Amino acid sequence: MSLTDDKESHWRGDHVAASAAKVPQVTDDGAPQPAQPAVASAVTSAVTSGGAADPEAALAGRLGQIRHEIDGLDSDLLNLLNRRASLSLEVGRIKADDAGIVFKPFREREVLENLMAANGGPLPNEHLRSIWREILSSSRSLQRPQKVAYLGPEGTFSYFAGVEFLGKAVEYMPHKDLDGVFRAVHDRQCELGVVPLENSLHGTVGQSLDLFLSHEVFIQSELFCRISHCLLTTETSLADVTTVYSHPQPLAQCGGWLRQALPGARIIPADSTASAARRVVGEKGAAAIGHRSLAALLGLNILARGIEDQPDNWTRFVVIGPAPAGQPGTDKTSMLFSVPDRPGALAEVLNLLAREGINMKKLESRPLRGEKWKYVFFVDVECDLGNEDYGRVVHELRRLCHTLRILGSYPAGPQLDMSRD
């Protein structure tokens, strides 16, 4: 629907033109009624007996007009959102017998990129992305209810990464360890899982890589989250803090600050930042390192913010599913492979990638469980090895490798700043 302006009107006794906006009204059944004249000119209503306008009354009148127009736009938006929701429900009915994963990260990225390219403002792209994150989250859940596994309890960085990327319309299922997350996805108890893969300061989360060896799950997407840590406690002064709990990685990332600000405090590792925060709720002198939102969630005080030693602290998370994403036009592929125990075996694989012009973003070896002094390599490459154009390359890789497993091809992930309030 469009908003139109009335033709110029004139005050009685004057020759000053003023426009009065028309705002569409919506009936209970959603049908638009003919536009009604908007609130009379704020300036006109503010004319005093001497013919002068009262500035405050004029501003109040204009504010009333704006609110009236916003109400009309909100009604239009509500109707459009419900039309979109109806289409999502129809998609769900059409695909009711399809056991595939509803989450389509490449399609969602395409939607967001098209919207941002067309956005002429003044709505910032950051706000646009936040709005459509929840629209897309709702759309997925209307097609089929989603469960997402993560390292719990509620309030971990994995939880907040999931909410920031997948939205709030899905059901988040906490698990006590990463093995539980992988198992829930592999057994299809959850459609997706969110797991940390590596940190920009402390490297790879080795347990996550090892679990890819134990469970046949596939990477659907990735996201990069800027991490900032806060000191959370029921105390009101740093002088009263005697013990600090957190997951080993945040403790390491904040080690310098802890040595300087709390040199005498006991440092005790916990299973997660959220479990650490819950522990300090009833313990005198205890504090936890974790996400700022845990303070509001658990009623804690934030005694210090941004206590990580390096401010440019990012964690790469991956979203895993029980089957390959199977979406065209992806940017990256992750794979696991082992090579025969002979000179030059690894070099042959790397040379093949180089000859084909395939850029390798990550190469890391992990011990192969159950076989002493044997290793498996985790590799990220910048191409879609699932594309048939790379069929010959994959065939050659299988010939050169002792074992080869494609973990998934997926779009390059966004960078999300979780350090902001």
Side-chain angles (χ1 to χ4, degrees), residues 115-227:
L115 288 168
M116 289 189 288
N119 182 24
L123 180 70
N125 278 338
E126 180 183 335
H127 295 182
L128 185 149
R129 185 198 164 278
S130 296
I131 292 167
W132 253 266
R133 175 192 64 206
E134 297 305 329
I135 291 174
L136 294 171
S137 180
S138 171
S139 177
R140 279 185 260 112
S141 294
L142 288 171
Q143 291 178 49
R144 185 170 68 219
Q146 280 190 310
K147 292 183 178 181
V148 176
Y150 70 96
L151 175 63
E154 181 181 350
T156 60
F157 282 98
S158 292
Y159 168 78
F160 289 117
V163 172
E164 184 72 19
F165 188 56
L166 298 171
K168 298 178 181 178
V170 302
E171 183 178 2
Y172 290 95
M173 308 296 293
H175 291 266
K176 66 179 182 179
D177 53 35
L178 286 172
D179 181 69
V181 176
F182 275 78
R183 192 176 300 278
V185 173
H186 176 268
D187 296 343
R188 295 182 180 267
Q189 298 170 12
C190 292
E191 183 167 309
L192 300 172
V194 178
V195 296
L197 193 63
E198 59 181 320
N199 178 263
S200 60
L201 302 180
H202 292 274
T204 297
V205 181
Q207 187 183 6
S208 294
L209 289 189
D210 293 340
L211 287 167
F212 277 109
L213 296 170
S214 307
H215 302 281
E216 191 175 2
V217 298
F218 300 86
I219 298 176
Q220 311 292 309
S221 188
E222 67 175 358
L223 57 150
F224 298 88
C225 295
R226 183 166 182 243
I227 305 296

Side-chain angles (χ1 to χ4, degrees), residues 63-317:
L63 187 60
Q65 286 182 314
I66 293 172
R67 287 172 175 166
H68 189 61
E69 187 171 347
I70 287 175
D71 288 345
L73 290 171
D74 285 343
S75 294
D76 292 347
L77 287 172
L78 179 60
N79 289 333
L80 290 171
L81 287 171
N82 277 314
R83 284 175 57 188
R84 195 184 197 285
S86 296
L87 293 173
S88 296
L89 288 169
E90 185 177 357
V91 170
R93 289 191 293 269
I94 292 172
K95 299 171 66 174
D97 296 328
D98 183 357
I101 298 171
V102 173
F103 178 51
K104 304 296 182 187
F106 186 80
R107 169 59 181 157
E108 293 191 6
R109 188 184 71 171
E110 183 181 45
V111 168
L112 287 171
E113 287 179 347
N114 289 340
L115 288 168
M116 289 189 288
N119 182 24
L123 180 70
N125 278 338
E126 180 183 335
H127 295 182
L128 185 149
R129 185 198 164 278
S130 296
I131 292 167
W132 253 266
R133 175 192 64 206
E134 297 305 329
I135 291 174
L136 294 171
S137 180
S138 171
S139 177
R140 279 185 260 112
S141 294
L142 288 171
Q143 291 178 49
R144 185 170 68 219
Q146 280 190 310
K147 292 183 178 181
V148 176
Y150 70 96
L151 175 63
E154 181 181 350
T156 60
F157 282 98
S158 292
Y159 168 78
F160 289 117
V163 172
E164 184 72 19
F165 188 56
L166 298 171
K168 298 178 181 178
V170 302
E171 183 178 2
Y172 290 95
M173 308 296 293
H175 291 266
K176 66 179 182 179
D177 53 35
L178 286 172
D179 181 69
V181 176
F182 275 78
R183 192 176 300 278
V185 173
H186 176 268
D187 296 343
R188 295 182 180 267
Q189 298 170 12
C190 292
E191 183 167 309
L192 300 172
V194 178
V195 296
L197 193 63
E198 59 181 320
N199 178 263
S200 60
L201 302 180
H202 292 274
T204 297
V205 181
Q207 187 183 6
S208 294
L209 289 189
D210 293 340
L211 287 167
F212 277 109
L213 296 170
S214 307
H215 302 281
E216 191 175 2
V217 298
F218 300 86
I219 298 176
Q220 311 292 309
S221 188
E222 67 175 358
L223 57 150
F224 298 88
C225 295
R226 183 166 182 243
I227 305 296
S228 184
H229 298 296
C230 295
L231 189 73
L232 313 165
T233 179
T234 57
E235 306 294 345
T236 57
S237 170
L238 284 177
D240 298 324
V241 175
T242 58
T243 306
V244 178
Y245 298 97
S246 196
H247 186 272
Q249 277 218 341
L251 290 175
Q253 293 165 11
C254 304
W257 185 90
L258 289 170
R259 287 188 292 272
Q260 182 178 5
L262 297 169
R266 293 185 303 148
I267 308 301
I268 301 178
D271 291 336
S272 68
T273 54
S275 63
R278 282 167 170 78
R279 183 168 182 173
V280 310
V281 170
E283 185 175 334
K284 185 174 177 57
I289 295 175
H291 193 280
R292 68 185 186 282
S293 296
L294 283 166
L297 187 67
L298 300 174
L300 297 171
N301 300 319
I302 300 179
L303 289 191
R305 296 171 180 263
I307 63 175
E308 59 276 4
D309 297 334
Q310 299 291 332
D312 197 30
N313 180 15
W314 292 80
T315 294
R316 178 190 178 196
F317 293 88

Side-chain angles (χ1 to χ4, degrees), residues 217-220 324-325 332-335 405-410:
V217 298
F218 300 86
I219 298 176
Q220 311 292 309
K332 300 175 72 174
T333 297
S334 296
M335 56 183 172
R405 182 173 156 219
I406 305 295
L407 296 178
S409 297
Y410 48 92

